[in-house]
Every structure is written in C-alpha cells, then in structure tokens.
Amino acid sequence: MLGKIASGRLVASAVLRECRRALAVGMSSSCPLSVTAGPRTTKLSSPLAYSTSRFQSTAAVEQEEKTVEQGEKPFVSTPDRKYEFFSNVELTPEGVAVIRFDCPKKVNSISFAMAEEARKLWNEEIVDNSQVKAVVFSSAKPNMFIAGADIPDIQKVENKQDFIPLIEKGINFFQSLREKGVPLVCAIDGPCLGGGLEWTMWCDYRVASDSPKTVLGLPEVKLGLLPGFGGTQNLPELVGTQAAMDMMLTGKNVRPDKAKKMGLVDLVVAPQSVESSAIQSAVDIMNGKIKLKKKPKSFMNRIVEDTMIGQKMMWDQVKKMVDKNTNGNYPAPYAIMQCVQHGIANPATRFQNEREQFAKLAATPESEALIGIFDGMTQMKKNPFEGTGVPVSTVAVMGAGLMGAGIGQVTAEKGMTVLLKDRNDEAIERGESYMRGNWDKKLKRKRLSQFQHNLNTSNVVGLTDDSPTWKKHFGNADMVIEAVFEDLDLKKKIVADVESVTPDHCVFASNTSAIPIEAIAEGAKRPENIIGMHYFSPVPSMPLLEIIPHGGTSENTKATAFDVGTKQGKTCIVVKDVPGFYVNRCLGPFLVEVSAVVRDGVSLEKLDKSIKDFGMPVGPVTLADEVGIDVVSHVASFLSEADLGVRMEGGDISLMKNMIGKGWLGKKSGQGFYTYDKKKKGKTVSAEVKSYLKDFVQQDLNLDEKEIQDRIVSRFVNEAAMCLQDEIIANPVVGDIGLVFGTGFAPFRGGPFRYLDQVGVSQYVDRMNYFADKYGAQFEPCQLLKDYAATNKKFHSN
C-alpha cells in the first residue's frame, strides 16, 4: 500500500492532467493528426474520469431548486408522512427500526434542514423507545443512498467559522446514535458519498448492493474541503491509514467489492435484497450470530502503520506526493494529512481539530474556486433553449478516426444506435477496435459488466462508402455528426450527401474546431438543422463540448444538440459562431505571447516552469511539443488571419512555422522544442535547437517569473473577457467552465473570471496598461475590463 501512495497522483494532479489533455488536443479536434495524451495508469489514480464527474464532486449536491419555491407550500406533517426528509419509521417484529432517507428532491443530500429533522426523528422515535433493539438506515429512493452535502448550504454560510458549532452539533448527533447502545446497520444502494459515507461510518455494520450505481467515497477534496463529520478519523480506523489517505487525497469512488476487501463494508448483496439483508444482519448482531470486528491488518500494513519507523516512511512519502502533485496550490490535501496525524497523536481533540480545519478550508479562495466550478457544471446541465429537442435514438457518425470513434463510443454507451461510416473496412475496423479496446479496459477494471460490454458493441453498426445499405440506414438517423478533415468543401459535400438520404428532422452537427458553421450551412437544403458540436479529444475522457449554432439554426436543433451532448455525459457550453469559437480563440493570443517571451530571452525551461507554477497543468513549450508543432502553428496562423486584430500581434509565430520545415514536429517526431529519446525518460534541449533559438532571440530582458506569468496569462484572460464583451459566451460561468476544462486553466483559481475577482479587476487592468505602455497595444485591456475596474464590479457575486 505504501507503494501505491508513493507512485500515485492526488486529486489536484488528476484534475490538471485531464485539463492538460483537453488543451493538448482541443485545438485540433477534427484534424487528421492522432494525438495520444491519455492519462497515466497508476495505482492511486483518481477516477476523475471527467465523464460528468471528471471534475464533479458528489461530496456536495447542488439542488436544482430551492426547498421551498416561491408560491410552493412548506411541508406539513401528516400521519401518513410525518417527516419531510424521511419516510415514516417502521418497526419490525424483531425490534429493528428502519429509518429511510427520502428527501423531497431526486437525490438524498444532507442539508441543515435534513440534519435538524434527523435529530428530531431520533429523539422522538428512537431514544426512549424500549421496543427498538436495533436500527437500520436505508433509503426510500432506489439507487440512491446519500449523494453528499447540500452545496447551497455550504455557500450561504458567510462566516466560515460558523461551521465549527454547526459541525459540532452534527458530531454530537452521531455520537448520540451510538449512545443508544443498539446495533446500527446501513443498507447502501446507490451513491454513498461525502456526508453519506461519514454517516455510515458511525454505524456498526454496512451492507452494500452490487448495483453498478453503488459507489462509496469521500470526494470533499475536489471542493477544496475535507470530510468534516468524523471522516478523517473514522475511515482510517476502518480501512487503515494508507487506504484511507488514498481515498481522501484522491477523492475517488470505491466499488462495493473493493470496499468489502478494504473493510469499508461488511456484506455485498443484490440490490433487491439490500434492505432485507441489513435487517437480518441487525437481528443477527442482536442475537450474537454476527460478531462485530474490524478487518485485521496485514503484517506489512502493521509494520508501516503501527511502528514509528513505518509511520515516518509513510508520512514522508505522502507529503512528497502531495508536494509534487499539488505544487502547494491546493491546501485541502495538507489539511487532511494534518487531521489524520493529529487524530493519531491527540485522540481527545481529534474531532474538534477536524472541524476547525474544515472551517479554515471553507474560507480559502481555493475552495471558493473549486465550489464555483462545481456550481457552474451544475448550471450547465440545464438546457437553455426554448425549442423542443428531437428524440434521438440513432446517430450517424461520419469518420471513424480518433474523434469519430470517440464520439461513437460515448453515444453507444448511452444506448443510442451508432452508424459509424468511413471510406473503407480498414478505417471502420480501426474505429471499432478503438471502442472495443476502451470497453475491454473498463471490463477488466470491473467498471463495466460483460452484458453492458456486449450491448455497447451491438449498438455500433459499421458502414462504408461501398455498403449497399448505408443510405437505408441513414434514412433512420435522427442526428449526423461529422468528424472528418478540416476542409470546407469536403464538409459541404457531406452535408449535401447526408441531406439527400436522411429524414427532414435529422440534425447535422459538425465537429469542426475552426471552420465557421455558417459557411458549412451555406447552400444546404436544411440550414436550420445544422449546428456545430466541438468535442475535445480523447472524447470518452474529456467532458467539455462547445455547441455552436449559426444565425439560422433553429431552436429545436439547438435543443437537440444540447440534449444529445448532455446524454453523452458532456458539460455543454454554448458559444457564438466566430473563428476559434471560445476555447481556441482564447488560445491564440496566449500562443503569440509565448513566442514573444522566447524572443525576449526566456529559456524554454524557465518558461515552462513559470506557467506550471501559476497552476497550469503543463508548460506551453511542452504543450506545443505534445500537441504537435504543426498543429499549434496552424491554429496560431489561422487566428492571426481572423478577426482578432492587434490582439494577435506582439510575437512572431514564424518560430513554429520554421520548425515544421526542419521536421521538428514535437514529441511525435522525437524532436520539437525538446528532444525525446524513447529509451530514456525525460527531455532535453539539443544544441541545434539552442542555436535556432539563439538566432530567434532579439533581446534578453531577464524577465522574472511573475512577469512571465502575467504577460502570458493576461493575454489569455483578456481574450476571455473580450469573448464575454462580444457575447461569444453568455456569462462568466460559461467562460470559467470552458477554459478550466478546455485549456487547463488552473482549477484552484476557478477560471479566468473568478481569478479576476480574486486578484481584483482594477489591479489587473493596471498591470495590463503597464504592459501596454512597455510592450505594445496587444496588451490593451478590453473595454469590459476597464468598465469593471472603474466601478469595482466583480464577475461573480460569491
């Protein structure tokens, strides 16, 4: 287990690595170039798989509506329904009280109101009831135990020190459960996360269903927080310190079978019998048939966790990995470490220390930023279009390359029929092999059943230009998504071919990363059905989807695209049909400024380190090498000729154009800015590259790290603000979500607009004006930033 921690990665690193992949291939999602930048497989790897949950934490639950809407009547207790958040308590003939969570919304979550009612229920029905010999906590909702805490409750506590007495009240309640002196058993079916898992750990025995929807975890670290209701203390007691740190530092979910092996749950059964098994287990505990005992530690774990030398080695390794993977930017992992260490050394004050650390974290800008991202993702779930989306059961995907196969995979996984079409059988086989390979990995890791694997595979129908039935198949298509080469004439030809064989309601979506959607729709038979859906590669892993309607796109088409994207597990942002859309448009000035600071004498290594220290997942030089110098150069050249004007000036993108002629295409060719040796780890700067850069450098300004960061990031942030000013994006929330997931903008800063709020728009405008005077008009802050600076206005209210 020590090796797991030593070789693993923490939640911050996982978030950043996924953002890195978004940046690495988002710029060229429809290009023929195949860029592989998948996550490294490690034993401690967090499952921030960025399906919807790549950044989403269910440690806290965003309610879709307030508990009491305007005009909605508040809850009134009746004999048939005494409680708002619980079903009526049932007492079995054996004396087992069954308490079922049943919150008013779709999910069960722990809110202040729910906690208060729990205390009331316990005091009124359990405490002095001599008939109660045991208690089972279950859920009245199928596939839903408790998904976590209620985010609006966390956000509305203005003075974060107020969390200390609130949490203390919760701890007192959980301790009162034990004071009853009867067996406490939990029947877990569905998500058991955050405060939900903490609730179960105060109980004696846990029965979990083997449903694919049943997961257990403490993902608070993803929100910049820690488990505050005894989680940092109770989890190590159940599963051991190393396994507990693995769960809490990564925020990853654990499946029931693994949870049983760890000692986190005691019994795994079928979903339909989880509650009855929990009741029987309670009876067996009462009768002495089940003896309560903790899972014994292995000899090696005893050496590591229960000896002074082992503990020192363990904590040194944990600290080393926290430092490496967070770069000191995320305080929550350090606080979790402190809580566990303090609890071991000072058991009398362990819960007090835990809630004090929680309150400190809740007051940090990092937690505010991470909660803001989670809040934004929740907002993005709601379809913003008034039209009625077309029901989509069959999706045709044109192109079976990396992008097309990825789109086909996420579509087939959601039960839709996929018509995967390419030129020949070889291309189709490559696409289908890609999908099968991904599903095989899920099957091996027990994230997919054999039945679901077979079902996914059967949902894909391969078609070629020579298939005699492809037109007949397309006659049943509700949506066509093209993912072919970035060639306008080719895309327009595909539109014409598709429109001739598909039904009138069929939506045509282009996965272009640059070509205007209006140009693709020009001359189409049904232009109102055409829209852009810009995926990020690798599609199965990346959550972001840019939806780009053109001026003539109908509301129904917009609604359909959003519905399909959401069903595919994507976080959809709607952006205007302009060159580069939103994400790539913001990258343009960023790339130009990278060339500018190199020209001003900044070494490649210093440049990479400066931007990584800012919080980006990877430096811009390494990024260019991993994406491909040719791809980056193409994006920069395209945007230089677009409508950004002076904002694409100030640098010299010939830096990369000339490298293409030399065959220095980046990591894929073994030589880019850095030299890569397949036999050796790491990268070096060759003498030839140094000579090339020496000729490119015009002056050595001896720039410090802060100025390097401000020059590059300010170009990035200003373009995001320009996009908001020009209504390319609807609001700052969309802007933050887009750049965090599309470019790797430091998650702990919350995105460009929350970052501006934290540093102060006025201060940032002053800095940009200073750069404009020093370096040129490309640093001129946009009018929106000037207006916000003049009025001390913020982009976010919280």
Side-chain angles (χ1 to χ4, degrees), residues 12 19 42 95 107 136 150 189 217 224 353 413 431 476 491 495 650 769 776 785:
C19 293
T42 61
V107 299
V136 167
D150 182 23
D189 181 39
N353 175 72
E413 287 175 346
N476 297 319
K491 292 179 186 290
V495 170
N769 283 330
L785 289 181

Side-chain angles (χ1 to χ4, degrees), residues 395-398 407 411 479-483 509 511 533 535 564 568:
V395 176
V397 178
M398 305 289 288
I407 294 168
T411 307
M479 173 179 277
V480 175
I481 303 175
E482 67 83 4
N511 182 49
M533 293 177 72
Y535 294 83
V564 169
Q568 290 170 333

Side-chain angles (χ1 to χ4, degrees), residues 29 34 395 397-414 416 418 420 422 427-428 430-436 438-439 442 460 481 483 511 535-542 545 564-565 568-570:
S29 62
S34 174
V395 176
V397 178
M398 305 289 288
L402 180 66
M403 290 302 299
I407 294 168
Q409 177 182 327
V410 299
T411 307
E413 287 175 346
K414 300 305 178 181
M416 290 175 272
V418 174
L420 185 65
D422 211 310
I428 292 296
R430 283 194 298 270
E432 291 182 338
S433 177
Y434 172 85
M435 289 186 270
R436 285 195 305 272
N438 288 336
W439 290 327
K442 289 185 178 183
V460 180
I481 303 175
N511 182 49
Y535 294 83
F536 291 75
S537 182
V539 178
S541 303
M542 302 312 302
L545 174 61
V564 169
Q568 290 170 333
K570 303 303 175 186

Side-chain angles (χ1 to χ4, degrees), residues 131-169:
Q131 293 181 304
V132 175
K133 308 299 181 184
V135 176
V136 167
F137 293 103
S138 185
S139 173
K141 300 181 190 297
N143 301 312
M144 172 54 61
F145 188 71
I146 296 178
D150 182 23
I151 257 202
D153 274 4
I154 296 174
Q155 291 176 311
K156 71 185 180 184
V157 176
E158 294 184 6
N159 182 356
K160 304 307 181 184
Q161 288 299 303
D162 289 344
F163 276 118
I164 296 175
L166 286 170
I167 294 174
E168 182 179 14
K169 198 173 182 181

Side-chain angles (χ1 to χ4, degrees), residues 535-769:
Y535 294 83
F536 291 75
S537 182
V539 178
S541 303
M542 302 312 302
L544 190 66
L545 174 61
E546 287 183 314
I547 293 181
I548 312 106
H550 66 90
T553 303
S554 71
E555 288 294 307
N556 287 349
T557 297
K558 298 174 189 176
T560 301
F562 195 97
D563 286 343
V564 169
T566 301
K567 190 173 181 180
Q568 290 170 333
K570 303 303 175 186
T571 296
C572 302
I573 62 171
V574 181
V575 302
K576 198 173 181 180
D577 186 20
V578 296
F581 310 136
Y582 174 58
V583 172
N584 286 352
R585 192 176 180 89
C586 290
L587 284 172
F590 172 92
L591 294 172
V592 171
E593 194 58 29
V594 167
S595 70
V597 296
V598 172
R599 186 190 56 195
D600 289 342
V602 178
S603 69
L604 302 182
E605 297 91 340
K606 185 176 182 179
L607 176 52
D608 266 353
K609 182 179 183 301
S610 297
I611 299 306
K612 283 192 70 176
D613 287 348
F614 177 80
M616 298 298 192
V618 67
V621 179
T622 299
L623 166 70
D625 272 0
E626 292 196 358
V627 173
I629 301 300
D630 51 343
V631 178
V632 175
S633 178
H634 170 75
V635 171
S637 298
F638 172 80
L639 291 174
S640 293
E641 298 170 2
D643 59 347
L644 280 76
V646 70
R647 303 196 304 281
M648 284 297 293
E649 297 179 2
D652 185 356
I653 58 175
S654 69
L655 171 68
M656 291 173 286
K657 283 185 179 179
N658 295 335
M659 290 174 67
I660 298 172
K662 296 175 180 289
W664 300 350
L665 303 183
K667 194 172 184 178
K668 61 189 175 184
S669 66
Q671 178 66 63
F673 285 108
Y674 294 112
T675 301
Y676 301 86
D677 188 338
K678 292 181 179 179
K679 298 180 181 179
K680 299 178 182 179
K681 290 185 178 181
K683 52 187 183 287
T684 58
V685 181
S686 69
E688 191 175 5
V689 171
K690 287 180 180 178
S691 175
Y692 172 70
L693 293 176
K694 184 177 180 181
D695 293 337
F696 182 79
V697 173
Q698 295 182 1
Q699 56 187 341
D700 187 354
L701 297 181
N702 195 26
L703 299 175
D704 61 25
E705 183 172 280
K706 181 69 164 59
E707 182 149 344
I708 295 169
Q709 291 172 347
D710 286 348
R711 279 182 59 175
I712 291 176
V713 175
S714 66
R715 299 285 298 274
F716 205 26
V717 169
N718 186 57
E719 194 58 41
M722 193 73 184
C723 286
L724 181 61
Q725 176 180 306
D726 290 346
E727 299 181 342
I728 294 169
I729 53 174
N731 54 56
V733 174
V734 173
D736 285 340
I737 293 296
L739 289 196
V740 168
F741 294 124
T743 73
F745 195 96
F748 71 92
R749 299 186 187 276
F753 296 101
R754 199 168 290 276
Y755 170 62
L756 284 168
D757 286 346
Q758 290 178 356
V759 301
V761 180
S762 178
Q763 180 180 336
Y764 212 74
V765 165
D766 288 344
R767 185 68 169 165
M768 291 196 70
N769 283 330

Side-chain angles (χ1 to χ4, degrees), residues 407-479:
I407 294 168
Q409 177 182 327
V410 299
T411 307
E413 287 175 346
K414 300 305 178 181
M416 290 175 272
T417 298
V418 174
L419 308 177
L420 185 65
K421 185 177 182 295
D422 211 310
R423 289 172 297 178
N424 51 49
D425 291 333
E426 291 77 14
I428 292 296
E429 174 54 29
R430 283 194 298 270
E432 291 182 338
S433 177
Y434 172 85
M435 289 186 270
R436 285 195 305 272
N438 288 336
W439 290 327
D440 287 346
K441 290 175 185 176
K442 289 185 178 183
L443 182 65
K444 184 176 180 181
R445 296 169 185 169
K446 297 184 178 180
R447 296 177 183 174
L448 191 71
S449 67
Q450 184 65 60
F451 172 78
Q452 190 62 50
H453 183 290
N454 296 342
L455 188 61
N456 291 348
T457 305
S458 68
N459 284 336
V460 180
V461 179
L463 300 168
T464 69
D465 292 346
D466 296 329
S467 298
T469 61
W470 80 263
K471 294 182 180 180
K472 182 178 180 180
H473 279 292
F474 270 56
N476 297 319
D478 305 301
M479 173 179 277

